[in-house]
Structure formats: structure tokens, C-alpha cells
Amino acid sequence: TYDPPVLAATTWYRRRASSGVCADGYSNVIEITVDQAVNAGTIGNAQTICSGDDPAALTNVASASGGDGSTYTYQWESSTTGAGGPFSDIGGATAATYDPPALANTTWYRRRASSGVCSDAWSNVIEITVDQPVNGGTIGNAQTVCATVDDPSALTNVASASGGDGSTYAYQWESSTAGVGGPFSDIAGATAATYDPPALTQTTWYRRRASSGVCARLPFAVLMPKRDNNSRPSCSPKGPLPPATSAPAGTRAAFLLTARCDRCCSLVLW
């Protein structure tokens, strides 16, 4: 008998027998096939999608090698915990590529390769990042101001945006003078979490658009009303109001100035 050492390559053995003066004889030949360590190959197509979207198929960048050199079996695995697993087999996913279903959460994938008698091997890990729908947050401080005269106080950030990629958020404030349903237009340079509007000449609605990751951007609106210029202001001057036609030149102007100081509208009907 013979106990071969550790082998790195397929090797053939035979036994020679000698006896007396006749020529040596040889046994049959025995092959010890040496499979190589399995290389699982490489998979690709890491991507970022929005929750509920159907990702593109994961690709076979490089096929498995090693093993018996001819026959390879694949098994795809997934994890929602992280690149380090734990991973679980995906039923029926035994091709060189894999097309994941719609995903609700970030998922990691790898491919296991089997061939011959050597241990299975695993490919690199591919992450499909799943962004959540963007929540635009909440803005506040609806108020009533006097046309042209008053400078509205800043609109506040009641609740910051959330969802998206979970870390980075971009804001864009928009305004409309048509109504709460818009249309809305971007306000140049208004990209902070809060916004301080200028003095207004008409009722204006504001909303803040939030962007993060690949999901759709969602706006939240707030109404910014004004006092009607054609109504009598809530303040009144001291003493009776003189008729407009007979008032001294400075009287009307003085009342208008007083009215403005009292936060009344600039157009006062007597």
C-alpha cells in the first residue's frame, strides 16, 4: 500500500512488482484527482432605489473558477442585517445572475459557488441601498401682516425632513400667490430649513420642498395671509375723522402715518 502526501495537482499512481529474473510487472493505474480551491467569481450592480421599487438584476462580472474546472453550482444569499450577515439562501436563485424583487429595506447579496470536493466559496457582497420615501417635515408660523408695510416674521422649521437616505437633506422654499394649490415657484437662494419672507403686497402661500436620496421630493405648505387693503383697519385715530375733501393737507397724511405705526393697512378708507 502507499499513502500519498498532500497533493497540489492531479496525480496518477501505479505499482511495480519485481520477482526473480523476469521482467518487472506493473499494476493498473490509479488517478487521484485534485480539485483546486473554488473561486466564487465576482458579482456586480450595486444600486440605490426607493422603497418599493424593483431593482435591476445583479450581474455576473466574473464566473466561478477552480473546483473541478468544469461544473459549477451557484446559490444566491441575502441579508437585511449587513454585509457581514447572517445570510440566508434565496429559494430558486441558482443562476449566475439574480434579479431581486421589489425591496422595502436595504439588502445585501452574495453568491455561493460549489464545484468538486473543495469547500464552497462566496463572492463579494453587493448592497442594494433602499431609501425611504421623503417626509418633507412641517413648517409653521402662518400670520397676518399689513400689505407692503409689515415685514413678516420668519417661517419656522417645526419638524425637519426625514426618510430619504436618512442623513442628507436639501431644502428649497417655494411660493405662490394663486392659492394653496399653487402653482408654486422656487424662491432663489431659499434653501435653509427656515425662511424669512420679505414685505408682501398680496396674500402668499409658502411651502418647503425636501430632497434626500433617490425618492420623490415631498413639499409641505403653509398659508401666509394678509389683511385686506379694502377693509377698514382695526385701529382708529384720536378724535373724529375729518372728511377727505375738507381735511387740511397734513391731517390725512398724519393719520396714515399713525395707522401704519399701529400696524394698519396703508390704504385707509375714510
Side-chain angles (χ1 to χ4, degrees):
T1 61
Y2 174 64
D3 186 6
V6 174
L7 300 175
T10 297
T11 306
W12 290 262
Y13 292 91
R14 69 181 182 180
R15 185 181 63 189
R16 187 177 74 247
S18 302
S19 178
V21 296
C22 293
D24 292 350
Y26 296 89
S27 69
N28 56 310
V29 175
I30 290 293
E31 177 184 3
I32 297 182
T33 303
V34 177
D35 288 349
Q36 301 302 310
V38 178
N39 180 327
T42 307
I43 59 174
N45 204 18
Q47 55 200 278
T48 299
I49 63 172
C50 191
S51 179
D53 286 350
D54 186 6
L58 303 183
T59 58
N60 177 40
V61 177
S63 297
S65 58
D68 65 11
S70 61
T71 304
Y72 299 93
T73 300
Y74 295 116
Q75 175 61 60
W76 286 81
E77 305 174 348
S78 66
S79 172
T80 56
T81 304
F87 283 84
S88 300
D89 288 355
I90 302 170
T94 57
T97 61
Y98 175 63
D99 189 1
L103 299 174
N105 297 289
T106 296
T107 305
W108 290 261
Y109 293 93
R110 68 182 185 183
R111 185 182 67 188
R112 186 174 76 244
S114 305
S115 180
V117 300
C118 293
S119 299
D120 293 350
W122 286 266
S123 70
N124 56 308
V125 175
I126 287 293
E127 177 181 359
I128 297 183
T129 303
V130 177
D131 288 351
Q132 299 303 309
V134 179
N135 182 325
T138 307
I139 58 177
N141 201 20
Q143 54 199 278
T144 300
V145 298
C146 184
T148 306
V149 179
D150 291 337
D151 182 8
S153 57
L155 304 182
T156 59
N157 178 39
V158 177
S160 298
S162 58
D165 65 12
S167 60
T168 304
Y169 299 92
Y171 294 117
Q172 175 61 60
W173 286 81
E174 304 173 350
S175 66
S176 172
T177 55
V180 70
F184 283 84
S185 301
D186 288 356
I187 302 171
T191 57
T194 60
Y195 175 63
D196 190 1
L200 301 173
T201 60
Q202 56 186 316
T203 298
T204 305
W205 290 260
Y206 291 91
R207 68 182 186 181
R208 185 184 67 188
R209 189 174 74 242
S211 304
S212 179
V214 300
C215 294
R217 303 172 297 187
L218 298 180
F220 275 70
V222 64
L223 173 66
M224 180 69 151
K226 72 170 179 61
R227 183 170 296 154
D228 186 355
N229 279 339
N230 295 318
S231 63
R232 191 175 183 86
S234 59
C235 60
S236 58
K238 296 179 180 179
L241 294 176
T245 55
S246 61
T251 305
R252 185 181 179 94
F255 172 66
L256 288 174
L257 178 60
T258 301
R260 290 186 180 188
C261 291
D262 288 345
R263 299 182 63 82
C264 292
C265 294
S266 56
L267 298 179
V268 180
L269 301 181
W270 290 357

